[in-house]
């Protein structure tokens, strides 16, 4: 048995025991350069269970099989997987709020496992562990050179009161109710003064801690945005000095006691601007506390859940308003929601890459410091990209956030290609029968390579961004350059002052695309990354050269990242053959078939006419001996569409100038109209305040010409209460197309995925799921009994336009990208229901609740209203 050494002190009979040295936890470290960080975002309860003993607190709040309840993840579980995060390339951990929470909300039948319903902002929730556990996590991160980001809430506490009936702002006691249902998990605030929740109690009213208001119904009304409840969450009166001081004290505590390095600020858009200046920048505010611990660049990035419409930047300006001014600063960063929405539109839905190019330019132009904007593809409040986009498109989306200015954020499970928003990472947690911590999975290795690429390249972490190529016609090429000029060096080290340049090319289309005459710094460019991950090869192999312009083909869904290796040796320029389109169509609108003519002075070389960059569908032109060619361009697509043409000689690597024009066909080849009875919904409606007749179809109209089909749905009611990305909410559509008349092998399938229903007749070959935050087109997959691969995502998704006043949604499907030349004889089955923002179908229960339909059970079909359209029966 080992013993401690004992020493006899001279002149004394006292024996001194040498104790083992226990290192103090490393809690306080200087702020990093946030431009060089990669954030891993973990939903604590769904990440990893490090201590099963704290899972069940005995109030019925724990059930890992139920998505509404605690699943078992905790702080020790996070600490146990720090090596996993570090292997991935993450340098910082952002965790959801670890504070004491309301465990169960009886009225809403949902739990506070997520951490955003606080009962005490200065205590750790027992499900997550102890204060010492949190300190150990901080220590574990800091000793790895990593950083701790805590999610915080100042806008609200939990679901503690509301209004049952009409709200009267002149008498806020009227219809007021405390939600004090007798349930052991319905825990009310214990931290003063947030326990003062009763409008009928004079003491609570005098304290004025909360706004006595109902849920927001108009998100465009600033008064509601800043003072009404988000859902039924008790809205804090953040203008009250006592509220402000308590919140400052609460959140200084986590910096000073645990060593938090940054804050992510939840629901920041719902708190008045003056609060942020006081909370963050007052002498006793957050920044002062951070500086007191040696953190001189404490990052506080806010959730301003706003986007911008395509080719418009109001969202960026809304976000920037929460940064304040030089004289009165507020947050010092905001999460990049406008880019998030654009990634979805362009990469998942197949919208024109010009929209993403514009969004990146606005990110650089509008944000004062775009290099510290956290950019993400998925988070805990939105449906996962892979619930609507393909794996190839998801890989492109991840490549974008790692190669543009900003801080990349990896949401847990992104690196494992998960499809459920709040699926647990650990075996036995919600939605996971097995562990998801696979460091050998293809997506883990891909994201790891992206992280290594970014952290090895100053151009990617610090550089400027220049758009070089994009498509206004649809899915296609996107090209941009990142450039960084190294700091000045002595004349003896002139080479150190050279520019670092990185080129990023993508093809978002499902066909090979032509990149024509893209301006590019002359010299050699070495390929370092593609859709398979890092490319390791000798200089010269997998490289390209530019003489100031670049013309090449890009395979479908390609990703190419090149680094500039320097100027190439000048080669003698050779004369290029003449290649022209002589018919003037640039900028014109073509309404009928048009004869195109031109000249190519090397007639013995193949010449292609490329429409909208699509090389797979290019037309091989016949060129006469004298170099003349002609082609009859068909104009069939119903509606008005932007188009482009290129002439391309692939053997010469030669492309003519891009010619852009518009086609317009006003009269459809055929159309069909049908009505549907009003009020023929099949279940009781959900009971929340914004739920009405949004699921009731009253009419439908179908029009088609060429490869375009237009479907107009007339609804009993259209709302946009939650500011949905698609322009409508409180309804989801699942639409199925029987294309037997158009397909050579019309196999199809009869079962309707997730709806517990089947086609009324025939089989479906193309499906479409549409709701306020999702627009997904898919075809049948090789599904199994577990529901895996029942759908394969395709693009482009239809264009959506909403006329709230007229009660109509217009959907325009473009068949060309789907291999459909026309839609004659199509049969369409239209169904309605509702989905959460994460894309999950609402439940149906015997009695309706706030968020479930009534009149059914777990075996019931999930269709509220439906309409069958058989276009073969049109007049």
């Amino acid at each position: 048995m080992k013993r401690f050494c004992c020493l006899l002190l001279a002149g004394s009979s006292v024996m001194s025991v040498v104790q083992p040295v226990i290192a103090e936890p490393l809690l306080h470290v200087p702020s990093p350069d946030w431009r060089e960080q990669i954030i891993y975002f973990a939903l604590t309860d769904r990440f990893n269970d490090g201590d099963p003993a704290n899972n069940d607190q005995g109030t019925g709040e724990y059930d890992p099989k139920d998505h509404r309840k605690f699943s078992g993840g905790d702080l020790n579980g996070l600490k146990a997987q720090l090596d996993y995060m570090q292997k991935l390339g993450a340098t910082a951990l952002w965790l959801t709020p670890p504070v004491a929470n309301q465990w169960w909300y009886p009225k809403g039948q949902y739990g506070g496992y997520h951490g955003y319903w606080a009962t005490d902002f200065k205590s750790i929730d027992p499900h997550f562990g102890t204060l010492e556990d949190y300190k150990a996590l901080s220590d574990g991160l800091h000793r790895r050179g990593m950083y701790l980001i805590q999610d915080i809430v100042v806008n609200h506490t939990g679901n503690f009161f509301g209004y049952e009936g009409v709200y009267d702002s002149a008498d806020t006691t009227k219809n007021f109710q405390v939600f004090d249902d007798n349930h052991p998990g319905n825990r009310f605030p214990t931290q003063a003064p947030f326990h003062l929740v009763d409008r009928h109690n004079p003491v609570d009213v005098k304290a004025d801690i909360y706004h006595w208001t109902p849920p927001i119904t108009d998100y465009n009304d600033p008064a509601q945005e800043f003072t009404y409840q988000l859902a039924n969450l008790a809205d804090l009166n953040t203008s009250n000095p006592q509220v402000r001081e308590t919140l400052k004290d609460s959140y200084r505590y986590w910096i000073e006691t645990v060593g938090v390095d940054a804050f992510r600020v939840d629901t920041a858009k719902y708190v008045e601007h003056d609060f942020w200046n006081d909370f963050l920048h007052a002498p006793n505010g957050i920044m002062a506390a951070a500086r007191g611990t040696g953190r001189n660049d404490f990052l506080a990035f806010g959730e301003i859940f706003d986007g911008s419409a395509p080719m418009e930047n109001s969202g960026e300006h809304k976000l920037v308003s929460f940064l304040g001014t030089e004289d009165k600063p507020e947050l010092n960063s905001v999460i990049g929601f406008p880019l998030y929405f654009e990634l979805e539109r362009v990469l998942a839905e197949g919208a024109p890459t010009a929209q993403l190019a514009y969004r990146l330019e606005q990110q650089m132009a509008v944000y004062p410091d775009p290099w510290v904007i956290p950019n993400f593809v998925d988070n805990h409040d939105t449906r996962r990209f892979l619930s609507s986009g393909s794996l190839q498109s998801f890989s492109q989306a991840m490549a974008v956030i790692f190669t543009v200015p900003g801080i990349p954020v990896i949401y847990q499970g992104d690196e494992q290609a998960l499809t459920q928003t709040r699926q647990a990472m650990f075996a036995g947690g919600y939605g996971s029968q097995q562990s998801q911590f696979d460091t050998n999975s293809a997506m883990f290795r891909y994201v790891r390579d992206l992280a290594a690429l970014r952290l090895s390249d100053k151009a990617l972490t610090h550089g400027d961004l220049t758009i070089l190529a994009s498509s206004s016609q649809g899915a296609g090429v996107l090209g941009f350059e990142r450039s960084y000029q190294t700091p000045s060096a002595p004349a003896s080290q002139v080479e150190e002052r050279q520019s670092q340049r990185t080129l990023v090319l993508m093809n978002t289309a499902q066909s090979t695309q032509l990149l024509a005459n893209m301006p590019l710094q002359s010299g050699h460019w070495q390929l370092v990354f593609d859709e398979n991950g890092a490319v390791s090869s000798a200089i010269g192999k997998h490289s390209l050269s530019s003489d100031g312009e670049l013309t090449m083909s890009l395979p479908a869904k390609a990703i190419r990242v090149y680094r500039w290796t320097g100027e190439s040796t000048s080669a003698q320029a050779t004369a290029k053959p003449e290649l022209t389109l002589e018919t003037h169509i640039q900028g014109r609108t073509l309404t009928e078939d048009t004869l195109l003519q031109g000249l190519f002075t090397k007639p013995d070389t193949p010449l292609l006419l490329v429409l909208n960059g699509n090389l797979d569908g290019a037309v091989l032109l016949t060129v006469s001996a004298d170099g003349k060619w002609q082609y009859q361009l068909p104009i069939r697509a119903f509606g008005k569409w932007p188009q482009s043409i290129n002439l391309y000689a692939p053997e010469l690597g030669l492309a003519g100038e891009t010619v852009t024009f518009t086609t317009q066909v006003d009269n459809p080849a055929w159309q069909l109209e049908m009505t549907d009875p009003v009020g023929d919904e099949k279940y009781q409606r959900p009971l929340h305040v914004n739920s009405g007749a949004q699921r009731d179809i009253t009419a439908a109209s179908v029009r088609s010409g060429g490869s375009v089909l237009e479907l107009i749905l007339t609804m009993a009611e259209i709302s946009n209460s939650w500011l949905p990305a698609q322009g409508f909410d409180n309804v989801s559509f699942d639409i199925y197309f029987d294309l037997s008349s158009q397909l050579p092998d019309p196999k199809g399938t009869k079962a309707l995925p997730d709806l517990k229903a089947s086609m009324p007749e025939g089989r479906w070959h193309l499906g479409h799921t549409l709701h306020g935050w999702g627009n997904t087109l898919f075809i049948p997959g090789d599904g199994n009994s577990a529901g895996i691969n029942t759908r394969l995502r395709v693009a482009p998704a239809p264009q959506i336009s909403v006329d709230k006043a007229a009660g109509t949604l217009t959907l325009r499907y473009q068949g060309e990208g789907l291999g459909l030349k026309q839609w004659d004889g199509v049969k369409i089955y239209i169904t309605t229901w509702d989905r959460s923002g994460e894309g999950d179908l609402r439940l149906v229960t015997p009695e309706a609740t706030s968020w479930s339909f009534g009149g059914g059970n777990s075996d019931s079909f999930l269709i509220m209203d439906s309409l069958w359209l058989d276009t073969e029966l049109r007049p």
Side-chain angles (χ1 to χ4, degrees):
M1 180 178 178
K2 292 185 178 179
R3 300 176 180 270
F4 293 120
C5 295
C6 297
L7 298 177
L8 180 61
L9 298 180
S12 172
S13 61
V14 178
M15 301 288 288
S16 176
V17 178
V18 178
Q19 299 287 351
V21 176
I22 301 176
E24 288 293 319
L26 182 59
L27 302 182
H28 300 299
V29 296
S31 296
D33 185 337
W34 289 105
R35 296 172 297 180
E36 297 177 354
Q37 305 312 306
I38 295 170
I39 297 173
Y40 191 90
F41 173 31
L43 176 58
T44 303
D45 176 68
R46 301 292 166 85
F47 185 70
N48 190 40
D49 186 358
D51 182 6
N54 62 27
N55 291 352
D56 191 345
Q57 298 293 324
T59 66
E61 83 293 347
Y62 168 72
D63 183 353
K65 294 183 176 63
D66 190 334
H67 74 281
R68 302 169 302 165
K69 297 186 176 184
F70 281 88
S71 206
D74 50 35
L75 296 169
N76 283 334
L78 287 165
K79 184 174 181 292
Q81 291 294 344
L82 291 182
D83 285 347
Y84 171 86
M85 300 177 205
Q86 195 167 37
K87 286 177 183 177
L88 184 62
T91 64
L93 168 64
W94 154 18
L95 76 160
T96 45
V99 301
N101 252 243
Q102 180 184 21
W103 292 348
W104 186 250
Y105 171 36
K107 184 178 177 63
Q109 289 294 291
Y110 204 80
Y113 65 87
H114 42 70
Y116 294 95
W117 299 347
T119 58
D120 185 342
F121 291 110
K122 285 184 73 173
S123 296
I124 298 292
D125 194 282
H127 292 92
F128 302 142
T130 65
L131 179 63
E132 292 308 309
D133 293 336
Y134 199 16
K135 289 181 179 180
L137 175 62
S138 175
D139 174 75
L141 284 161
H142 292 150
R143 291 188 187 280
R144 287 170 170 81
M146 299 172 71
Y147 301 92
L148 176 61
I149 303 172
Q150 180 174 319
D151 210 324
I152 70 167
V153 184
V154 300
N155 174 69
H156 58 263
T157 54
N159 308 272
F160 304 127
F161 62 79
Y163 288 83
E164 297 292 322
V166 177
Y167 175 68
D168 184 353
S169 60
D171 181 7
T172 56
T173 61
K174 185 177 179 181
N175 297 320
F176 178 88
Q177 181 181 11
V178 174
F179 298 152
D180 55 356
D181 304 62
N182 185 22
H183 187 286
N186 188 24
R187 295 160 63 90
F188 269 53
T190 55
Q191 181 186 16
F194 304 121
H195 63 297
L196 304 174
V197 299
D198 189 353
R199 175 64 182 84
H200 294 300
N201 186 321
V203 174
D204 296 15
V205 173
K206 182 178 181 181
D208 200 26
I209 302 304
Y210 292 94
H211 292 123
W212 310 113
T213 50
I216 299 169
T217 57
D218 183 357
Y219 284 79
N220 292 308
D221 179 354
Q224 289 196 30
E225 194 171 48
F226 291 143
T227 63
Y228 278 37
Q229 295 185 351
L230 182 64
N232 272 310
L233 294 169
D235 196 76
L236 287 169
N237 180 7
T238 45
S239 296
N240 182 326
Q242 186 181 7
V243 171
R244 290 189 177 189
E245 292 308 307
T246 306
L247 289 172
K248 282 189 279 189
D249 173 71
S250 297
Y251 288 121
R252 289 195 308 263
Y253 174 79
W254 299 114
I255 298 171
E256 295 165 347
T257 307
V258 173
V260 170
D261 300 297
F263 285 156
R264 179 267 189 181
V265 186
D266 183 69
T267 53
K269 66 177 282 187
Y270 300 106
V271 180
E272 73 277 8
H273 290 276
D274 183 70
F275 171 86
W276 296 117
N277 177 256
D278 181 27
F279 176 71
L280 292 168
H281 302 284
N284 67 341
I286 297 306
M287 296 303 176
R291 288 191 296 271
T293 64
R295 294 170 171 86
N296 295 323
D297 190 12
F298 188 88
L299 192 68
F301 56 95
E303 180 200 27
I304 318 296
F305 201 124
D306 269 271
S308 297
M311 311 306 284
E312 184 263 344
N313 66 4
S314 63
E316 283 88 346
H317 284 285
K318 174 70 175 283
L319 268 63
V320 165
S321 71
F322 283 87
L323 301 179
T325 64
E326 187 174 348
D327 293 334
K328 196 172 184 180
E330 300 179 33
L331 298 161
N332 55 14
S333 181
V334 286
I335 302 173
F337 275 96
L339 179 60
Y340 158 76
F341 287 115
E342 208 67 71
L343 290 172
E344 177 78 14
R345 286 191 287 251
V346 172
L347 299 180
E349 299 174 12
T353 57
Q355 293 179 196
L356 181 51
Y358 174 86
R359 188 65 51 224
L360 294 174
E361 289 178 328
Q362 295 309 302
Q363 187 143 329
M364 297 302 292
V366 178
Y367 298 139
D369 190 353
W371 296 274
V372 295
I373 299 295
N375 294 319
F376 69 103
V377 176
D378 289 324
N379 74 18
H380 61 319
D381 286 331
T382 62
R383 66 195 182 107
R384 284 197 186 267
F385 188 102
L386 282 169
S387 70
S388 63
S390 68
L391 191 62
Q392 292 170 309
S393 297
F394 177 70
S395 297
Q396 291 186 327
M398 294 300 288
V400 169
I401 67 167
F402 274 87
T403 57
V404 300
I407 307 171
V409 179
I410 306 164
Y411 176 50
Q412 66 175 60
D414 281 349
E415 75 282 6
Q416 302 296 345
L418 300 189
T419 59
Q420 295 183 60
T421 296
R422 298 190 177 185
Q423 179 180 350
M425 291 287 288
F426 61 99
Y430 174 71
S432 287
Q433 295 182 349
Q434 61 188 26
S435 170
Q436 306 297 331
F437 297 108
D438 183 359
T439 57
N440 291 314
S441 72
M443 187 54 67
F444 183 96
R445 288 183 280 110
Y446 176 82
V447 175
R448 178 200 63 197
D449 288 354
L450 275 173
L453 172 73
R454 181 177 181 85
L455 296 178
S456 67
D457 192 340
K458 287 282 189 182
L460 295 180
T461 56
H462 294 66
D464 292 327
L465 180 143
T466 303
I467 298 295
L468 302 177
S470 65
S471 168
S472 299
Q473 289 71 47
V477 169
L478 175 70
F480 58 88
E481 182 185 295
R482 301 294 309 281
S483 59
Y484 175 72
Q485 186 74 34
T486 56
S488 298
S492 60
Q493 301 174 17
V494 65
E495 68 278 2
E496 295 297 324
R497 299 201 303 268
Q498 293 179 348
S499 293
Q500 297 180 27
R501 298 177 181 271
T502 300
L503 171 66
V504 180
L505 298 176
M506 292 186 188
N507 174 13
T508 67
Q510 297 176 113
S511 59
T512 306
Q513 291 281 307
L514 174 64
L515 175 64
N517 307 317
M518 185 184 76
L520 182 65
Q521 172 71 35
S522 61
H524 286 304
W525 293 80
Q526 178 66 32
L527 181 67
V528 294
F529 189 92
D530 65 13
E531 56 273 11
N532 297 311
V535 175
S536 178
S537 63
I539 297 295
K541 189 179 180 183
H542 305 304
S543 67
L544 56 83
S545 294
S546 168
D547 60 0
E549 285 188 344
L550 180 64
T551 294
M552 63 183 292
S553 64
L554 276 175
K557 296 295 182 180
I559 304 167
R560 300 286 186 270
V561 181
Y562 297 88
R563 282 187 181 142
W564 186 64
T565 60
E567 296 283 354
S568 57
T569 303
S570 298
Q572 186 173 358
T574 58
K576 297 179 180 179
E578 186 176 351
L579 177 59
T580 59
L581 170 62
E582 296 177 344
T583 307
H584 177 64
I585 60 171
Q586 173 65 40
R588 290 178 54 195
T589 298
L590 306 183
T591 58
E592 58 185 6
D593 294 359
T594 302
L595 181 64
L596 304 179
Q597 296 177 312
L599 182 68
F600 181 41
T601 58
K602 199 170 179 57
D604 56 340
T605 301
L607 179 64
L608 303 178
L609 185 144
V610 183
L611 183 64
N612 298 328
N614 183 2
L615 278 171
D616 293 344
V619 176
L620 179 62
L621 297 174
T622 300
V623 183
S624 63
D626 61 358
K628 295 181 179 180
W629 61 267
Q630 62 180 28
Y631 174 71
Q632 187 80 2
L633 180 68
I635 309 297
R636 299 282 188 277
F638 174 58
K640 190 173 184 178
W641 302 96
Q643 312 278 3
S644 71
I645 279 179
N646 281 101
L647 297 170
Y648 178 48
E651 291 184 5
L652 304 177
L654 176 65
E657 292 185 9
T658 302
V659 177
T660 59
F661 58 99
T662 301
T663 62
Q664 183 170 343
V665 176
D666 295 327
N667 298 316
W670 56 264
Q671 62 184 40
L672 173 68
E673 296 182 0
M674 288 192 68
T675 59
D676 190 57
V678 175
D680 62 338
E681 298 161 297
K682 298 172 177 62
Y683 295 101
Q684 302 162 18
R685 300 168 181 172
L687 301 179
H688 65 86
V689 67
N690 294 313
S691 177
Q694 294 98 331
R695 277 83 45 184
D696 191 3
I697 306 168
T698 62
S701 168
V702 190
R703 303 191 292 176
S704 182
S707 62
V708 173
L709 182 138
E710 179 185 83
L711 176 60
I712 302 175
L713 301 176
T714 303
M715 308 301 295
E717 179 183 352
I718 290 180
S719 63
N720 55 2
S721 307
W722 299 91
L723 296 183
Q726 303 294 348
F728 67 91
D729 54 22
N730 294 297
V731 60
S732 66
F733 299 90
D734 284 270
I735 304 172
Y736 294 91
F737 297 85
D738 184 335
L739 301 172
S740 299
S741 61
Q742 295 297 320
L743 300 177
D745 182 21
K747 189 175 179 182
T749 189
K750 197 167 182 65
L752 305 181
D754 303 329
L755 300 187
K756 303 175 185 176
S758 299
M759 290 284 282
E761 59 182 80
R763 293 174 176 269
W764 67 271
H765 309 90
L766 179 67
H768 180 207
T769 294
L770 174 65
H771 60 101
W773 291 268
N775 182 18
T776 306
L777 210 59
F778 52 89
I779 59 176
D782 54 351
N784 57 35
S785 59
I788 306 299
N789 293 329
T790 54
R791 289 166 286 196
L792 298 175
R793 278 69 177 181
V794 294
Q799 296 180 354
I800 310 297
S801 59
V802 179
D803 187 333
K804 185 178 177 182
T808 60
L809 283 80
T810 301
L811 289 59
R812 296 181 182 87
Y813 298 86
Q814 303 171 67
E816 193 73 38
L818 305 171
L820 292 172
K821 299 290 186 183
Q822 59 183 20
W823 296 80
D824 293 15
V826 64
K827 299 178 178 67
I828 309 172
Y829 186 43
I830 307 163
T831 73
T832 69
W833 194 250
D834 193 21
R835 294 175 184 261
S836 68
E838 296 89 354
D840 298 323
L841 287 158
R842 301 288 187 196
L843 300 176
V844 58
T845 51
E847 297 295 329
T849 68
S850 295
W851 299 104
S852 70
F853 293 86
N857 55 48
S858 58
D859 295 323
S860 300
F861 61 86
L862 305 183
I863 297 175
M864 187 69 158
D865 197 5
S866 63
L867 186 61
W868 173 256
L869 301 175
D870 185 346
T871 65
E872 289 184 340
L873 302 179
R874 65 182 186 270

